[in-house]
Amino acid sequence: MTKDIPKMDDLIKGINDPDMLLTDEPQGISDAADKEQEESANGSASMLSPDADGSKCWQVFMNYLDNSDERSDKDERLVCKLDRDLVDSLDDCDIHNRSRSDLVNAIVRAFFETYLPQLSEFRRKKKSLFITFNKEDYEVE
């Protein structure tokens, strides 16, 4: 009976490593990890070039971000809770020295502008009784 004890390098691989991919998949032993790194290095150029929709979405995002100072309705912003990892990632981004709120608003606006037809399929149906309310039906003559 042999004990397959991983090497120390395999156990600490990725700690404080900015190049480490954040995935839910467990990392394999060093041979598999090395092979994965080679494959990702070969395909890294294709991963960095977005598809047509992604490129459009990025450009729309940048347009909204550039115009965020011109918006007069910043007082109308509401609080929205984000996951900690998203907050940390947004705080690490320094795009035109914009605030986290500006980044989130630009991201969401760009997403809505790009994918509005797909999102419209998931629009909630209003269940209010006022939708079918007709004031004339209730007026007393």
Side-chain angles (χ1 to χ4, degrees):
M1 180 172 167
T2 62
K3 294 184 181 180
D4 293 329
I5 299 174
K7 295 179 182 177
M8 182 60 79
D9 291 338
D10 292 335
L11 293 173
I12 62 171
K13 190 172 193 169
I15 296 176
N16 295 329
D17 184 3
D19 296 331
M20 190 71 180
L21 294 175
L22 299 176
T23 63
D24 290 336
E25 298 175 10
Q27 295 294 323
I29 58 175
S30 64
D31 292 337
D34 292 341
K35 186 182 285 188
E36 184 178 313
Q37 283 180 343
E38 282 180 28
E39 290 173 2
S40 68
N42 293 338
S44 64
S46 64
M47 289 172 58
L48 293 176
S49 59
D51 59 0
D53 282 345
S55 178
K56 177 185 180 251
C57 193
W58 178 260
Q59 190 56 48
V60 171
F61 160 71
M62 291 303 291
N63 290 340
Y64 277 120
L65 196 59
D66 289 339
N67 296 326
S68 66
D69 281 343
E70 298 171 10
R71 297 187 67 84
S72 61
D73 61 349
K74 286 190 176 185
D75 294 335
E76 295 293 317
R77 290 185 173 176
L78 302 175
V79 175
C80 181
K81 293 186 178 188
L82 298 174
D83 294 340
R84 172 56 60 189
D85 60 334
L86 293 174
V87 170
D88 292 341
S89 299
L90 287 169
D91 289 346
D92 287 343
C93 294
D94 184 12
I95 304 175
H96 304 305
N97 202 27
R98 294 290 195 253
S99 68
R100 184 189 313 149
S101 294
D102 288 343
L103 290 172
V104 169
N105 279 299
I107 290 167
V108 173
R109 288 181 187 284
F111 185 82
F112 267 81
E113 183 173 321
T114 304
Y115 298 106
L116 192 61
Q118 292 90 335
L119 289 168
S120 67
E121 296 175 20
F122 299 98
R123 187 174 183 188
R124 292 183 186 174
K125 304 291 184 221
K126 295 186 178 185
K127 296 180 181 177
S128 173
L129 297 174
F130 291 108
I131 291 174
T132 58
F133 175 73
N134 186 357
K135 188 176 180 179
E136 294 171 358
D137 292 342
Y138 291 90
E139 288 182 355
V140 179
E141 294 178 12

